[in-house]
Amino acid sequence: MDKATPKSDLFKANLDRAAPLLQQLRADGIGHMIDGKIVPSISGETFDTKSPIDGAVLATVARGNAEDIDRAATAAALAFKSWRDMSASMRRKLLHRVADAIEDRADDIAVLECIDTGQAHRFMAKAAIRAAENFRFFAGKCAEARDGLNMPSEEHWNISTRVPIGPVGVITPWNTPFMLSTWKIAPALAAGCTVVHKPAEWSPVTADLLAKLVKQADVPDGVLNSVHGFGEEAGKALTEHPAIKAIGFVGESTTGSAIMAQGAPTLKRVHFELGGKNPVIVFDDADLDRALDAVVFMIYSLNGERCTSSSRLLIQQSIAEKFMEKLAVRVKALKVGHPPDPATEIGPLIHERHLAKVCSYFDVARKDGAVIAVGGKAHDGPGGGHYVEPTLVIGAHTKMRVAQEEVFGPFLTAIPFRDEADAIEIANDVNYGLTGYVWTGDMGRALRRCRCAGGRHDLAELRECPASADAIRRHEGIRHRPRRRRLFVRLLHGNQACLAGAGHAQDSTIGNLRRRRFQATQSLELLMRNCAA
């Protein structure tokens, strides 16, 4: 951002950019993209999608059901052979065209995402750039997607190869929906699979734009199909359809369990990124100013609506009082406001039902005996939307519900610990296991914490930086079939934010993108079948 440009002018510019886009959206509505054509639901049913800022109807959306899913799955199946057999160089070229198209519309995507989801523009400004990089990253993997193994033994010479599994279903969430959609769709297309995408019904706007941009990039019809609708209708039909060979899903853990059960009769492969109650562990030898920046960023950015947010602060007792005093000041200073306003740090939550869920945990915290040091109530924000005050809960212990359950909002629970052993016991004392973060000046300690991350050594990740280490990456209780895992070294764009104007914000680029490379590798390998020659 140009520092000479007043934020008020940028706010107005964002609103001006959004106005014609919203006018067109209301006029056209949102239909399904099936076999390269925008079509209504066969039933003719629709639903309205509303902005969390003020409840205004953004568009009328086609409400898909099993018939629409069948039509999309059939299109994906018919397009699969030619897409699979296309040369890797041509697929790479097309995916780079998609990335180009996304970058050309990056500013439009940012403002639409703000208004459709309530996310602050300071974070959405780079979301499209990151989405484009997803396509570029996987475009570079097209040529090696079929790589197999050479496994000689004394008796045999074994050679394996990999082939695309077929049409796959991708079900994406409502938080940062554009970027997360590309995260799952791009590796499927790079591998030679075709896709049926079921976006979240609470945030369909940018998914509609993504389907159009893929079409604009001359990706053949039927390769990417998009069907809007509710999870219990369109989503369930997708997970059960016999033509769909695998499901990639990002979302709540209970939904992931349901998807696994629904796909079992047709033996679908699944790739899940589910919920988290992630710890950030701060030891007394850490650079406390940097750790403070990281703690604030990792829970209060993106409205706290992300699975990798560190919603549990584990703070060593010897520094807890001083650290919590500084943290409370920072949380109180966070600006809740209109999403397209560059000054806003926290916008409205996605939906009134989600607002009610987050607010319900205020009473849960009090009933459990914890103390709400900051926040703890809804906020009267601009437009009267689904705003909530950023909340800090102290005086908690690990058996409390606010230390065990995923709130998925700007809600941080602080828990003191005595020593290393106590910290790791608390960190692992939840049903989740998505990510974790360690801040310490002792690299040996950081590595020990990795080894203690639930014993899942093959899923551990460590980032080393001065006086800190971000560590511990492990999946939820549902283990997937083991596959080869590789980390690809690549520098990508990411978001950096300095919340509440104090200190240097934790740079999300390195940590988040290394997690992304890890997930990217898993996504690519999920979509390939190992076949003995």
Side-chain angles (χ1 to χ4, degrees), residues 199-375:
E201 58 266 31
W202 286 356
S203 58
V205 171
T206 55
D208 174 60
L209 180 54
L210 175 60
K212 293 174 180 177
L213 293 178
V214 171
K215 168 76 173 177
Q216 176 187 317
D218 294 326
V219 173
D221 294 345
V223 170
L224 174 63
N225 306 275
S226 182
V227 177
H228 298 275
F230 299 124
E232 58 270 25
E233 297 170 354
K236 183 173 183 290
L238 181 60
T239 61
E240 294 177 344
H241 199 284
I244 300 299
K245 304 305 180 184
I247 294 288
F249 169 72
V250 181
E252 191 182 24
S253 299
T254 54
T255 307
S257 297
I259 289 172
M260 181 171 277
Q262 291 160 10
T266 50
L267 300 177
K268 283 183 175 52
R269 294 190 181 189
V270 294
H271 180 263
F272 292 155
E273 185 181 341
L274 306 178
K277 191 69 176 176
N278 310 301
V280 53
I281 306 172
V282 180
F283 286 96
D284 58 9
D285 63 346
D287 181 329
L288 297 185
D289 288 334
R290 292 191 66 197
L292 180 63
D293 289 334
V295 168
V296 173
F297 180 85
M298 288 304 295
I299 182 60
Y300 297 111
S301 62
L302 299 174
N303 296 349
E305 295 172 322
R306 59 174 170 179
C307 57
T308 56
S309 65
S310 51
S311 55
R312 289 184 298 153
L313 166 62
L314 277 55
I315 180 75
Q316 195 154 18
Q317 287 177 347
S318 58
I319 58 170
E321 183 177 355
K322 181 179 179 181
F323 192 89
M324 297 309 298
E325 287 177 358
K326 291 184 176 181
L327 178 58
V329 171
R330 291 285 296 274
V331 177
K332 289 177 182 177
L334 292 171
K335 177 176 173 55
V336 181
H338 203 294
D341 185 349
T344 293
E345 293 166 324
I346 296 178
L349 302 183
I350 183 74
H351 194 275
E352 59 186 355
R353 277 165 43 193
H354 188 58
L355 173 66
K357 174 196 170 183
V358 172
C359 289
S360 72
Y361 279 93
F362 303 149
D363 289 335
V364 169
R366 297 184 182 102
K367 185 179 294 185
D368 281 351
V371 176
I372 297 179
V374 181

Side-chain angles (χ1 to χ4, degrees), residues 82-96 138-147 189-192:
S82 59
W83 182 249
R84 177 198 65 191
D85 295 341
M86 180 182 289
S87 68
S89 60
M90 187 61 200
R91 274 205 313 278
R92 180 174 65 247
K93 182 177 180 180
L94 290 173
L95 294 188
H96 276 297
F138 287 110
K141 300 301 172 184
C142 287
E144 63 190 72
R146 308 290 173 87
D147 287 356
L189 300 183

Side-chain angles (χ1 to χ4, degrees), residues 277-281 299 309-314 398 402-404 411-415 423 425-430 432 435 474:
K277 191 69 176 176
N278 310 301
V280 53
I281 306 172
I299 182 60
S309 65
S310 51
S311 55
R312 289 184 298 153
L313 166 62
L314 277 55
T398 189
V402 290
Q404 290 287 324
F411 189 109
L412 177 62
T413 299
I415 306 170
E425 181 178 354
I426 296 171
N428 285 329
D429 188 24
V430 291
Y432 298 96
T435 72
R474 54 197 180 97

Side-chain angles (χ1 to χ4, degrees), residues 71-148:
R71 183 166 51 164
T74 298
L78 291 173
F80 171 64
K81 185 177 185 299
S82 59
W83 182 249
R84 177 198 65 191
D85 295 341
M86 180 182 289
S87 68
S89 60
M90 187 61 200
R91 274 205 313 278
R92 180 174 65 247
K93 182 177 180 180
L94 290 173
L95 294 188
H96 276 297
R97 283 184 189 170
V98 174
D100 292 340
I102 290 172
E103 289 176 347
D104 288 344
R105 297 292 301 276
D107 292 336
D108 293 345
I109 293 166
V111 295
L112 287 173
E113 200 94 309
C114 289
I115 293 170
D116 190 31
T117 69
Q119 294 287 355
H121 187 269
R122 63 170 56 207
F123 303 116
M124 293 301 97
K126 296 296 184 182
I129 301 301
R130 189 170 170 184
E133 285 293 349
N134 284 338
F135 270 94
R136 295 200 192 284
F137 177 86
F138 287 110
K141 300 301 172 184
C142 287
E144 63 190 72
R146 308 290 173 87
D147 287 356

